[in-house]
Amino acid sequence: MEAAKGRGARSNATGRYEVTTSEAFDDGWTPEDEAPAPLRTTLTAEHARTLITRNTSPDIGFDRSINPYKGCEHGCIYCYARPSHAWMGLSPGLDFESRIFFKPEGARLLEQELSARKYVCKRIHIGGNTDPYQPVERELKSTRSILQVMQRFNQPFSIITKSNLITRDADILGPMGREGLATAFVSITTLDRGLARAMEPRASTPQRRLDAIKVLADAGVPVGVGFAPVIPGLNDHELESILEAAAKAGAQTAMYVTLRLPLEIKDLFREWLADARPDRADRVMSLIRQTRGGKDYDADWSQRMKGTGPVAELIGVRFKAAIKRYGLDQQRHVLDITKFRVPADARPQLELFG
């Protein structure tokens, strides 16, 4: 299976909830010299009732989050959010990275929820599922409009991205960061531009992500680096070099997650490996299974983020040594929830929506 230009997935299998399935094949009637039509990104407005999503997962460090988009044009082949497209009758493959949903009323919904009488302020995480700064954000500015509401209410938040576009909002993130109301993480999986282009085709280049760390740090935002995911046999050898580069750019903290392959992701990742890195595909899958008790994936909440076994343990030991060496073992910033206020111009909405 060959890659479409700028796309990560090699296939577009029907979602698992559908009654019927379809598969593209060559019936011999299409002339060999006729090129297939390019895969275009389509945007669909989603008219949601609420914006803040809540979760009770014990291994996730936040209980509420906002995702301005469903689907992600970055096309990262390993993205754990891919299976969510199956809930909408779409494929976790190419559909996930080409059929993007956005919430045009997101800022209004957020203001409504933050203004509610029963609202209790806690940290909100932005981008826990799909990237809030994917390419369409340049035009839609959905994430920026949400940050503007956060700033008006002094609502503390954390945000994570693979995009340099986050620097556009340094005028919001900087002041809020200095007030203890915002932190940011930039995810860097490799410093190899070739691997990044193949694995994360429309995300910012590694250097651009390092540049983003520097811009945010200079603006006063407490910023960390996420080495996520660690893929044994593919990018794990870069652990120390990525953390060192991020520390030099201004990162203060770091985290990592070992590759997870739930549901459809395991097949999509195998297809990608066979095409993009055929010389090491078998070894990579073998090492992944060694971190998951001999399986492609173990969904146990106590183990799914880091894995188990000697391979996973060695990654953990190396990570702890590296963050100590590069000064990335600082205590995570605790955001200040005491500054939250409903601004005067939003209070009338209490009467309208209460």
Side-chain angles (χ1 to χ4, degrees):
M1 299 182 180
E2 297 180 355
K5 185 177 180 180
R7 304 296 180 178
R10 275 29 179 187
S11 62
N12 205 37
T14 306
R16 63 189 180 282
Y17 298 110
E18 303 309 297
V19 176
T20 59
T21 62
S22 61
E23 182 178 354
F25 71 99
D26 184 3
D27 60 5
W29 286 94
T30 303
E32 292 182 358
D33 59 350
E34 184 177 319
L39 182 63
R40 304 290 186 187
T41 298
T42 61
L43 301 176
T44 302
E46 179 185 13
H47 298 288
R49 295 182 179 180
T50 60
L51 189 70
I52 302 174
T53 300
R54 287 169 170 77
N55 78 83
T56 57
S57 300
D59 59 346
I60 296 178
F62 52 88
D63 66 355
R64 56 192 68 183
S65 61
I66 290 174
N67 290 286
Y69 301 99
K70 289 182 180 178
C72 186
E73 201 175 2
H74 283 166
C76 304
I77 189 57
Y78 50 73
C79 182
Y80 56 77
R82 284 182 177 273
S84 62
H85 250 45
W87 287 99
M88 297 182 289
L90 300 173
S91 172
L94 291 170
D95 280 349
F96 175 79
E97 50 196 277
S98 63
R99 299 184 66 173
I100 310 301
F101 295 80
F102 69 100
K103 303 175 179 71
E105 298 181 343
R108 182 188 66 80
L109 291 172
L110 178 59
E111 183 168 315
Q112 176 180 325
E113 292 178 71
L114 297 183
S115 300
R117 288 188 180 93
K118 295 183 179 180
Y119 179 74
V120 177
C121 179
K122 288 186 178 180
R123 172 173 69 107
I124 295 176
H125 184 62
I126 302 176
N129 203 42
T130 55
D131 203 302
Y133 286 106
Q134 53 186 288
V136 298
E137 169 64 16
R138 288 185 174 87
E139 290 75 38
L140 296 180
K141 298 182 179 178
S142 295
T143 298
R144 182 171 177 83
S145 66
I146 289 168
L147 296 188
Q148 289 170 333
V149 174
M150 296 282 197
Q151 187 175 39
R152 288 179 57 230
F153 282 74
N154 284 344
Q155 166 63 51
F157 69 91
S158 55
I159 191 166
I160 188 168
T161 184
K162 287 186 175 72
S163 176
N164 182 273
L165 183 57
I166 190 174
T167 60
R168 178 201 65 188
D169 295 334
D171 62 321
I172 298 175
L173 292 163
M176 293 192 73
R178 294 192 295 272
E179 289 291 323
L181 295 171
T183 60
F185 261 82
V186 177
S187 177
I188 303 176
T189 52
T190 180
L191 298 178
D192 181 338
R193 287 192 62 163
L195 178 58
R197 188 182 303 111
M199 192 164 59
E200 309 155 338
R202 297 196 180 191
S204 294
T205 65
Q207 184 56 53
R208 294 273 287 165
R209 295 183 223 180
L210 289 170
D211 293 343
I213 291 176
K214 185 178 188 319
V215 170
L216 294 174
D218 289 348
V221 186
V223 59
V225 60
F227 185 39
V230 182
I231 307 174
L234 189 62
N235 72 342
D236 60 314
H237 65 284
E238 296 189 72
L239 186 151
E240 289 83 3
S241 57
I242 288 174
L243 296 182
E244 181 182 14
K248 288 180 178 178
Q252 300 173 9
T253 58
M255 64 85 168
Y256 81 96
V257 176
T258 304
L259 178 67
R260 298 188 283 146
L261 296 176
L263 301 171
E264 293 92 345
I265 304 175
K266 63 181 183 300
D267 295 325
L268 291 166
F269 186 75
R270 281 177 169 173
E271 289 174 357
W272 176 84
L273 266 180
D275 179 45
R277 294 294 185 272
D279 57 324
R280 63 179 70 184
D282 290 341
R283 173 169 171 75
V284 170
M285 288 307 304
S286 173
L287 290 171
I288 290 171
R289 284 190 290 269
Q290 290 178 49
T291 69
R292 301 296 177 184
K295 301 179 290 185
D296 287 341
Y297 181 59
D298 182 354
D300 187 324
W301 280 350
S302 66
Q303 302 173 355
R304 64 176 182 168
M305 294 300 183
K306 299 294 189 288
T308 59
V311 174
E313 290 171 4
L314 179 58
I315 292 170
V317 169
R318 289 173 54 201
F319 178 81
K320 289 180 181 179
I323 61 173
K324 183 176 181 179
R325 183 184 313 143
Y326 302 123
L328 294 169
D329 56 348
Q330 300 179 38
Q331 186 175 2
R332 295 279 179 88
H333 285 80
V334 177
L335 297 178
D336 188 353
I337 63 174
T338 66
K339 296 179 180 178
F340 176 83
R341 296 288 186 275
V342 177
D345 61 351
R347 285 174 188 154
Q349 295 190 38
L350 287 164
E351 307 301 328
L352 293 174
F353 302 110

